[in-house]
Amino acid sequence: MLQRLSNGLARCEEITAAALAAAVTCLILTNIAFRALGSPLYWVSELAIYAMIWMTFLIAGAVLKRRQGIAVTLLSDLLPPTGRKLVGVAVDAMVLLFALLLVWLCWRWYQPLTLAQTGFDTRAFQGQTFNFIYAENTSTLGIKKFWAWLIVPWFALSLSLHGVSNLVQSLTAKRGRV
């Protein structure tokens, strides 16, 4: 079940990232057209940047799930099957450790419990924590930046699921398989 959930999430991330890539292309072409007509839409550039950031985080989670990232395998290729399996388990464990550390950092960054304790009053939250995450607006879109930054906690949680899934798969793989 864990594998199916992780695979399904990775597939959704790939589809969403592809849609965002198409959106980035359309946004850039729209901006080029409006600039050529002498009426640039500045918010389009900012939206394209945020779409690119979201696309990158989403596809990174899927790539790490599928173990398709760029890797230097010179050492592991020289090892016997047991050694390759141990290296694979160590890599999966490090990915999971990174993901869990990122979850913790996002929790500290967003501080959802403190925000709830202040009754979702961002001014009280800022006064209590000196954390201004919920106050800063984007330059041209006019939305709060924390909405755009939500991709980081999403990535952390997604990568945690993928990391657990990959680690379980590595630990339960038959001897000699990687």
PDB file of all heavy atoms in Angstrom, residues 106-133:
ATOM      1  N   CYS A 106      10.443  23.252   8.065  1.00  0.00           N
ATOM      2  CA  CYS A 106       9.207  23.895   7.596  1.00  0.00           C
ATOM      3  C   CYS A 106       8.240  24.113   8.750  1.00  0.00           C
ATOM      4  O   CYS A 106       7.555  25.149   8.812  1.00  0.00           O
ATOM      5  CB  CYS A 106       8.550  23.066   6.494  1.00  0.00           C
ATOM      6  SG  CYS A 106       9.432  23.142   4.923  1.00  0.00           S
ATOM      7  N   TRP A 107       8.160  23.164   9.644  1.00  0.00           N
ATOM      8  CA  TRP A 107       7.300  23.308  10.824  1.00  0.00           C
ATOM      9  C   TRP A 107       7.742  24.521  11.645  1.00  0.00           C
ATOM     10  O   TRP A 107       6.919  25.319  12.081  1.00  0.00           O
ATOM     11  CB  TRP A 107       7.344  22.036  11.661  1.00  0.00           C
ATOM     12  CG  TRP A 107       6.414  22.063  12.830  1.00  0.00           C
ATOM     13  CD1 TRP A 107       6.707  22.423  14.118  1.00  0.00           C
ATOM     14  CD2 TRP A 107       5.031  21.736  12.821  1.00  0.00           C
ATOM     15  NE1 TRP A 107       5.595  22.337  14.903  1.00  0.00           N
ATOM     16  CE2 TRP A 107       4.545  21.918  14.132  1.00  0.00           C
ATOM     17  CE3 TRP A 107       4.149  21.309  11.832  1.00  0.00           C
ATOM     18  CZ2 TRP A 107       3.223  21.686  14.475  1.00  0.00           C
ATOM     19  CZ3 TRP A 107       2.831  21.077  12.182  1.00  0.00           C
ATOM     20  CH2 TRP A 107       2.386  21.269  13.486  1.00  0.00           C
ATOM     21  N   ARG A 108       9.037  24.655  11.810  1.00  0.00           N
ATOM     22  CA  ARG A 108       9.568  25.808  12.559  1.00  0.00           C
ATOM     23  C   ARG A 108       9.364  27.112  11.796  1.00  0.00           C
ATOM     24  O   ARG A 108       9.188  28.169  12.392  1.00  0.00           O
ATOM     25  CB  ARG A 108      11.047  25.610  12.876  1.00  0.00           C
ATOM     26  CG  ARG A 108      11.302  24.542  13.918  1.00  0.00           C
ATOM     27  CD  ARG A 108      12.761  24.486  14.293  1.00  0.00           C
ATOM     28  NE  ARG A 108      13.324  25.801  14.504  1.00  0.00           N
ATOM     29  CZ  ARG A 108      13.704  26.300  15.673  1.00  0.00           C
ATOM     30  NH1 ARG A 108      13.587  25.560  16.738  1.00  0.00           N
ATOM     31  NH2 ARG A 108      14.220  27.489  15.770  1.00  0.00           N
ATOM     32  N   TRP A 109       9.414  27.044  10.483  1.00  0.00           N
ATOM     33  CA  TRP A 109       9.272  28.225   9.637  1.00  0.00           C
ATOM     34  C   TRP A 109       7.829  28.728   9.646  1.00  0.00           C
ATOM     35  O   TRP A 109       7.568  29.904   9.873  1.00  0.00           O
ATOM     36  CB  TRP A 109       9.726  27.866   8.241  1.00  0.00           C
ATOM     37  CG  TRP A 109       9.746  28.951   7.213  1.00  0.00           C
ATOM     38  CD1 TRP A 109       9.901  30.301   7.418  1.00  0.00           C
ATOM     39  CD2 TRP A 109       9.635  28.774   5.798  1.00  0.00           C
ATOM     40  NE1 TRP A 109       9.881  30.959   6.225  1.00  0.00           N
ATOM     41  CE2 TRP A 109       9.722  30.058   5.205  1.00  0.00           C
ATOM     42  CE3 TRP A 109       9.483  27.676   4.979  1.00  0.00           C
ATOM     43  CZ2 TRP A 109       9.659  30.246   3.834  1.00  0.00           C
ATOM     44  CZ3 TRP A 109       9.426  27.874   3.618  1.00  0.00           C
ATOM     45  CH2 TRP A 109       9.513  29.143   3.056  1.00  0.00           C
ATOM     46  N   TYR A 110       6.879  27.845   9.400  1.00  0.00           N
ATOM     47  CA  TYR A 110       5.472  28.235   9.325  1.00  0.00           C
ATOM     48  C   TYR A 110       4.818  28.363  10.705  1.00  0.00           C
ATOM     49  O   TYR A 110       3.850  29.089  10.847  1.00  0.00           O
ATOM     50  CB  TYR A 110       4.689  27.239   8.469  1.00  0.00           C
ATOM     51  CG  TYR A 110       4.763  27.556   7.003  1.00  0.00           C
ATOM     52  CD1 TYR A 110       5.843  27.157   6.234  1.00  0.00           C
ATOM     53  CD2 TYR A 110       3.741  28.250   6.372  1.00  0.00           C
ATOM     54  CE1 TYR A 110       5.908  27.455   4.883  1.00  0.00           C
ATOM     55  CE2 TYR A 110       3.789  28.546   5.028  1.00  0.00           C
ATOM     56  CZ  TYR A 110       4.884  28.150   4.286  1.00  0.00           C
ATOM     57  OH  TYR A 110       4.945  28.442   2.952  1.00  0.00           O
ATOM     58  N   GLN A 111       5.285  27.629  11.690  1.00  0.00           N
ATOM     59  CA  GLN A 111       4.773  27.650  13.058  1.00  0.00           C
ATOM     60  C   GLN A 111       3.238  27.617  13.107  1.00  0.00           C
ATOM     61  O   GLN A 111       2.592  28.528  13.639  1.00  0.00           O
ATOM     62  CB  GLN A 111       5.300  28.876  13.798  1.00  0.00           C
ATOM     63  CG  GLN A 111       6.797  28.894  13.939  1.00  0.00           C
ATOM     64  CD  GLN A 111       7.309  30.098  14.708  1.00  0.00           C
ATOM     65  OE1 GLN A 111       6.556  30.950  15.156  1.00  0.00           O
ATOM     66  NE2 GLN A 111       8.616  30.168  14.876  1.00  0.00           N
ATOM     67  N   PRO A 112       2.633  26.560  12.570  1.00  0.00           N
ATOM     68  CA  PRO A 112       1.164  26.527  12.491  1.00  0.00           C
ATOM     69  C   PRO A 112       0.477  26.513  13.859  1.00  0.00           C
ATOM     70  O   PRO A 112      -0.610  27.092  14.003  1.00  0.00           O
ATOM     71  CB  PRO A 112       0.880  25.253  11.705  1.00  0.00           C
ATOM     72  CG  PRO A 112       2.094  24.404  11.879  1.00  0.00           C
ATOM     73  CD  PRO A 112       3.238  25.356  12.011  1.00  0.00           C
ATOM     74  N   LEU A 113       1.072  25.870  14.848  1.00  0.00           N
ATOM     75  CA  LEU A 113       0.428  25.844  16.167  1.00  0.00           C
ATOM     76  C   LEU A 113       0.399  27.230  16.808  1.00  0.00           C
ATOM     77  O   LEU A 113      -0.614  27.629  17.390  1.00  0.00           O
ATOM     78  CB  LEU A 113       1.130  24.841  17.087  1.00  0.00           C
ATOM     79  CG  LEU A 113       0.986  23.370  16.703  1.00  0.00           C
ATOM     80  CD1 LEU A 113       1.718  22.481  17.696  1.00  0.00           C
ATOM     81  CD2 LEU A 113      -0.481  22.979  16.600  1.00  0.00           C
ATOM     82  N   THR A 114       1.493  27.946  16.679  1.00  0.00           N
ATOM     83  CA  THR A 114       1.539  29.303  17.235  1.00  0.00           C
ATOM     84  C   THR A 114       0.558  30.209  16.502  1.00  0.00           C
ATOM     85  O   THR A 114      -0.118  31.037  17.120  1.00  0.00           O
ATOM     86  CB  THR A 114       2.968  29.871  17.148  1.00  0.00           C
ATOM     87  OG1 THR A 114       3.871  28.968  17.780  1.00  0.00           O
ATOM     88  CG2 THR A 114       3.069  31.225  17.827  1.00  0.00           C
ATOM     89  N   LEU A 115       0.473  30.050  15.184  1.00  0.00           N
ATOM     90  CA  LEU A 115      -0.489  30.838  14.409  1.00  0.00           C
ATOM     91  C   LEU A 115      -1.917  30.534  14.871  1.00  0.00           C
ATOM     92  O   LEU A 115      -2.727  31.452  15.035  1.00  0.00           O
ATOM     93  CB  LEU A 115      -0.333  30.547  12.908  1.00  0.00           C
ATOM     94  CG  LEU A 115      -1.235  31.339  11.978  1.00  0.00           C
ATOM     95  CD1 LEU A 115      -0.951  32.835  12.066  1.00  0.00           C
ATOM     96  CD2 LEU A 115      -1.073  30.844  10.545  1.00  0.00           C
ATOM     97  N   ALA A 116      -2.210  29.273  15.108  1.00  0.00           N
ATOM     98  CA  ALA A 116      -3.540  28.896  15.593  1.00  0.00           C
ATOM     99  C   ALA A 116      -3.782  29.446  17.004  1.00  0.00           C
ATOM    100  O   ALA A 116      -4.889  29.891  17.315  1.00  0.00           O
ATOM    101  CB  ALA A 116      -3.706  27.382  15.572  1.00  0.00           C
ATOM    102  N   GLN A 117      -2.756  29.422  17.851  1.00  0.00           N
ATOM    103  CA  GLN A 117      -2.896  29.928  19.221  1.00  0.00           C
ATOM    104  C   GLN A 117      -3.184  31.428  19.249  1.00  0.00           C
ATOM    105  O   GLN A 117      -3.812  31.917  20.180  1.00  0.00           O
ATOM    106  CB  GLN A 117      -1.642  29.625  20.034  1.00  0.00           C
ATOM    107  CG  GLN A 117      -1.481  28.166  20.374  1.00  0.00           C
ATOM    108  CD  GLN A 117      -0.108  27.848  20.976  1.00  0.00           C
ATOM    109  OE1 GLN A 117       0.788  28.676  20.961  1.00  0.00           O
ATOM    110  NE2 GLN A 117       0.036  26.634  21.485  1.00  0.00           N
ATOM    111  N   THR A 118      -2.708  32.144  18.228  1.00  0.00           N
ATOM    112  CA  THR A 118      -2.978  33.586  18.161  1.00  0.00           C
ATOM    113  C   THR A 118      -4.293  33.869  17.441  1.00  0.00           C
ATOM    114  O   THR A 118      -4.583  35.024  17.118  1.00  0.00           O
ATOM    115  CB  THR A 118      -1.832  34.334  17.441  1.00  0.00           C
ATOM    116  OG1 THR A 118      -1.713  33.834  16.106  1.00  0.00           O
ATOM    117  CG2 THR A 118      -0.524  34.188  18.180  1.00  0.00           C
ATOM    118  N   GLY A 119      -5.080  32.831  17.184  1.00  0.00           N
ATOM    119  CA  GLY A 119      -6.359  33.001  16.514  1.00  0.00           C
ATOM    120  C   GLY A 119      -6.208  33.390  15.048  1.00  0.00           C
ATOM    121  O   GLY A 119      -7.059  34.081  14.508  1.00  0.00           O
ATOM    122  N   PHE A 120      -5.118  32.974  14.443  1.00  0.00           N
ATOM    123  CA  PHE A 120      -4.802  33.284  13.047  1.00  0.00           C
ATOM    124  C   PHE A 120      -4.686  34.796  12.806  1.00  0.00           C
ATOM    125  O   PHE A 120      -4.885  35.269  11.695  1.00  0.00           O
ATOM    126  CB  PHE A 120      -5.796  32.627  12.079  1.00  0.00           C
ATOM    127  CG  PHE A 120      -5.770  31.128  12.178  1.00  0.00           C
ATOM    128  CD1 PHE A 120      -6.685  30.456  12.975  1.00  0.00           C
ATOM    129  CD2 PHE A 120      -4.809  30.399  11.496  1.00  0.00           C
ATOM    130  CE1 PHE A 120      -6.642  29.074  13.081  1.00  0.00           C
ATOM    131  CE2 PHE A 120      -4.766  29.019  11.605  1.00  0.00           C
ATOM    132  CZ  PHE A 120      -5.679  28.355  12.400  1.00  0.00           C
ATOM    133  N   ASP A 121      -4.367  35.497  13.879  1.00  0.00           N
ATOM    134  CA  ASP A 121      -4.096  36.937  13.788  1.00  0.00           C
ATOM    135  C   ASP A 121      -2.612  37.093  13.467  1.00  0.00           C
ATOM    136  O   ASP A 121      -1.752  36.885  14.324  1.00  0.00           O
ATOM    137  CB  ASP A 121      -4.448  37.620  15.112  1.00  0.00           C
ATOM    138  CG  ASP A 121      -4.177  39.107  15.119  1.00  0.00           C
ATOM    139  OD1 ASP A 121      -3.663  39.645  14.111  1.00  0.00           O
ATOM    140  OD2 ASP A 121      -4.479  39.752  16.147  1.00  0.00           O
ATOM    141  N   THR A 122      -2.328  37.466  12.233  1.00  0.00           N
ATOM    142  CA  THR A 122      -0.921  37.506  11.801  1.00  0.00           C
ATOM    143  C   THR A 122      -0.126  38.589  12.525  1.00  0.00           C
ATOM    144  O   THR A 122       1.068  38.412  12.759  1.00  0.00           O
ATOM    145  CB  THR A 122      -0.812  37.703  10.276  1.00  0.00           C
ATOM    146  OG1 THR A 122      -1.518  38.878   9.888  1.00  0.00           O
ATOM    147  CG2 THR A 122      -1.362  36.500   9.537  1.00  0.00           C
ATOM    148  N   ARG A 123      -0.758  39.678  12.893  1.00  0.00           N
ATOM    149  CA  ARG A 123      -0.025  40.722  13.636  1.00  0.00           C
ATOM    150  C   ARG A 123       0.376  40.211  15.033  1.00  0.00           C
ATOM    151  O   ARG A 123       1.490  40.449  15.478  1.00  0.00           O
ATOM    152  CB  ARG A 123      -0.860  41.990  13.746  1.00  0.00           C
ATOM    153  CG  ARG A 123      -0.974  42.718  12.422  1.00  0.00           C
ATOM    154  CD  ARG A 123      -1.541  44.121  12.647  1.00  0.00           C
ATOM    155  NE  ARG A 123      -1.745  44.778  11.385  1.00  0.00           N
ATOM    156  CZ  ARG A 123      -0.870  45.599  10.834  1.00  0.00           C
ATOM    157  NH1 ARG A 123       0.274  45.845  11.440  1.00  0.00           N
ATOM    158  NH2 ARG A 123      -1.148  46.178   9.685  1.00  0.00           N
ATOM    159  N   ALA A 124      -0.532  39.538  15.697  1.00  0.00           N
ATOM    160  CA  ALA A 124      -0.206  38.967  17.012  1.00  0.00           C
ATOM    161  C   ALA A 124       0.875  37.895  16.861  1.00  0.00           C
ATOM    162  O   ALA A 124       1.793  37.803  17.684  1.00  0.00           O
ATOM    163  CB  ALA A 124      -1.463  38.389  17.657  1.00  0.00           C
ATOM    164  N   PHE A 125       0.752  37.093  15.799  1.00  0.00           N
ATOM    165  CA  PHE A 125       1.755  36.054  15.522  1.00  0.00           C
ATOM    166  C   PHE A 125       3.131  36.684  15.327  1.00  0.00           C
ATOM    167  O   PHE A 125       4.120  36.223  15.890  1.00  0.00           O
ATOM    168  CB  PHE A 125       1.341  35.266  14.277  1.00  0.00           C
ATOM    169  CG  PHE A 125       2.367  34.279  13.799  1.00  0.00           C
ATOM    170  CD1 PHE A 125       2.486  33.032  14.384  1.00  0.00           C
ATOM    171  CD2 PHE A 125       3.218  34.601  12.749  1.00  0.00           C
ATOM    172  CE1 PHE A 125       3.422  32.112  13.947  1.00  0.00           C
ATOM    173  CE2 PHE A 125       4.168  33.692  12.297  1.00  0.00           C
ATOM    174  CZ  PHE A 125       4.262  32.453  12.896  1.00  0.00           C
ATOM    175  N   GLN A 126       3.195  37.754  14.539  1.00  0.00           N
ATOM    176  CA  GLN A 126       4.467  38.435  14.289  1.00  0.00           C
ATOM    177  C   GLN A 126       5.041  39.026  15.565  1.00  0.00           C
ATOM    178  O   GLN A 126       6.247  38.953  15.807  1.00  0.00           O
ATOM    179  CB  GLN A 126       4.284  39.542  13.250  1.00  0.00           C
ATOM    180  CG  GLN A 126       3.943  39.041  11.881  1.00  0.00           C
ATOM    181  CD  GLN A 126       3.427  40.141  10.974  1.00  0.00           C
ATOM    182  OE1 GLN A 126       3.679  41.315  11.194  1.00  0.00           O
ATOM    183  NE2 GLN A 126       2.690  39.746   9.948  1.00  0.00           N
ATOM    184  N   GLY A 127       4.186  39.617  16.383  1.00  0.00           N
ATOM    185  CA  GLY A 127       4.656  40.208  17.633  1.00  0.00           C
ATOM    186  C   GLY A 127       5.177  39.168  18.607  1.00  0.00           C
ATOM    187  O   GLY A 127       6.118  39.422  19.353  1.00  0.00           O
ATOM    188  N   GLN A 128       4.568  38.007  18.580  1.00  0.00           N
ATOM    189  CA  GLN A 128       4.969  36.946  19.503  1.00  0.00           C
ATOM    190  C   GLN A 128       6.224  36.209  19.031  1.00  0.00           C
ATOM    191  O   GLN A 128       7.051  35.805  19.840  1.00  0.00           O
ATOM    192  CB  GLN A 128       3.822  35.956  19.670  1.00  0.00           C
ATOM    193  CG  GLN A 128       4.062  34.880  20.689  1.00  0.00           C
ATOM    194  CD  GLN A 128       2.837  33.992  20.862  1.00  0.00           C
ATOM    195  OE1 GLN A 128       1.716  34.380  20.547  1.00  0.00           O
ATOM    196  NE2 GLN A 128       3.057  32.801  21.383  1.00  0.00           N
ATOM    197  N   THR A 129       6.365  36.032  17.710  1.00  0.00           N
ATOM    198  CA  THR A 129       7.435  35.173  17.195  1.00  0.00           C
ATOM    199  C   THR A 129       8.522  35.908  16.419  1.00  0.00           C
ATOM    200  O   THR A 129       9.571  35.335  16.148  1.00  0.00           O
ATOM    201  CB  THR A 129       6.846  34.125  16.236  1.00  0.00           C
ATOM    202  OG1 THR A 129       6.279  34.804  15.109  1.00  0.00           O
ATOM    203  CG2 THR A 129       5.814  33.257  16.920  1.00  0.00           C
ATOM    204  N   PHE A 130       8.280  37.151  16.038  1.00  0.00           N
ATOM    205  CA  PHE A 130       9.161  37.909  15.143  1.00  0.00           C
ATOM    206  C   PHE A 130       9.357  37.173  13.814  1.00  0.00           C
ATOM    207  O   PHE A 130      10.379  37.315  13.156  1.00  0.00           O
ATOM    208  CB  PHE A 130      10.517  38.215  15.797  1.00  0.00           C
ATOM    209  CG  PHE A 130      10.383  39.100  16.993  1.00  0.00           C
ATOM    210  CD1 PHE A 130      10.517  38.574  18.270  1.00  0.00           C
ATOM    211  CD2 PHE A 130      10.096  40.446  16.853  1.00  0.00           C
ATOM    212  CE1 PHE A 130      10.380  39.381  19.380  1.00  0.00           C
ATOM    213  CE2 PHE A 130       9.951  41.258  17.959  1.00  0.00           C
ATOM    214  CZ  PHE A 130      10.090  40.735  19.228  1.00  0.00           C
ATOM    215  N   ASN A 131       8.370  36.396  13.449  1.00  0.00           N
ATOM    216  CA  ASN A 131       8.353  35.668  12.181  1.00  0.00           C
ATOM    217  C   ASN A 131       7.347  36.383  11.279  1.00  0.00           C
ATOM    218  O   ASN A 131       6.168  36.453  11.584  1.00  0.00           O
ATOM    219  CB  ASN A 131       7.922  34.212  12.418  1.00  0.00           C
ATOM    220  CG  ASN A 131       7.922  33.386  11.159  1.00  0.00           C
ATOM    221  OD1 ASN A 131       7.966  33.889  10.052  1.00  0.00           O
ATOM    222  ND2 ASN A 131       7.850  32.070  11.331  1.00  0.00           N
ATOM    223  N   PHE A 132       7.825  36.902  10.155  1.00  0.00           N
ATOM    224  CA  PHE A 132       6.991  37.715   9.277  1.00  0.00           C
ATOM    225  C   PHE A 132       6.601  36.973   8.002  1.00  0.00           C
ATOM    226  O   PHE A 132       6.297  37.586   6.990  1.00  0.00           O
ATOM    227  CB  PHE A 132       7.712  39.024   8.944  1.00  0.00           C
ATOM    228  CG  PHE A 132       7.965  39.856  10.163  1.00  0.00           C
ATOM    229  CD1 PHE A 132       9.153  39.726  10.865  1.00  0.00           C
ATOM    230  CD2 PHE A 132       6.998  40.729  10.641  1.00  0.00           C
ATOM    231  CE1 PHE A 132       9.385  40.478  12.011  1.00  0.00           C
ATOM    232  CE2 PHE A 132       7.218  41.475  11.777  1.00  0.00           C
ATOM    233  CZ  PHE A 132       8.418  41.358  12.475  1.00  0.00           C
ATOM    234  N   ILE A 133       6.595  35.639   8.056  1.00  0.00           N
ATOM    235  CA  ILE A 133       6.288  34.824   6.886  1.00  0.00           C
ATOM    236  C   ILE A 133       4.904  35.124   6.329  1.00  0.00           C
ATOM    237  O   ILE A 133       4.686  35.094   5.114  1.00  0.00           O
ATOM    238  CB  ILE A 133       6.437  33.322   7.200  1.00  0.00           C
ATOM    239  CG1 ILE A 133       6.247  32.491   5.931  1.00  0.00           C
ATOM    240  CG2 ILE A 133       5.482  32.880   8.271  1.00  0.00           C
ATOM    241  CD1 ILE A 133       6.517  31.016   6.108  1.00  0.00           C
TER     242      ILE A 133
END
